[in-house]
Amino acid sequence: MTSQTDALDTYLARAAAIHNKLTRLRQLADDHFGHDPEAIHWGHVGDLGRVDQALDNLLAIFDGQAK
């Protein structure tokens, strides 16, 4: 059972790391990702488009509902 215990411990550690990253992502989003809203340009829009697509890909892994 050591393998199962190790897998669970690693799973829980990775889940905690993901939660921390999601919290940080929320903080960045709440602060316009560090960008001055008055200085937004198409490069910023493209960056957010890539992030949006990556998040869709991640959600598809877990809920099977790609958008």
Side-chain angles (χ1 to χ4, degrees):
M1 283 294 204
T2 302
S3 177
Q4 184 67 28
T5 301
D6 291 344
L8 177 59
D9 289 345
T10 301
Y11 180 92
L12 293 174
R14 288 184 180 176
I18 289 169
H19 282 282
N20 290 336
K21 290 173 186 177
L22 290 171
T23 297
R24 181 66 182 130
L25 186 60
R26 170 59 68 190
Q27 292 168 341
L28 287 166
D30 289 347
D31 188 36
H32 306 287
F33 298 98
H35 300 121
D36 175 359
E38 300 297 321
I40 296 297
H41 55 73
W42 285 106
H44 298 129
V45 174
D47 290 343
L48 289 185
R50 285 188 295 281
V51 169
D52 188 40
Q53 182 61 56
L55 291 170
D56 284 346
N57 293 342
L58 289 170
L59 288 170
I61 291 170
F62 296 105
D63 71 10
Q65 297 179 11
K67 297 196 183 210

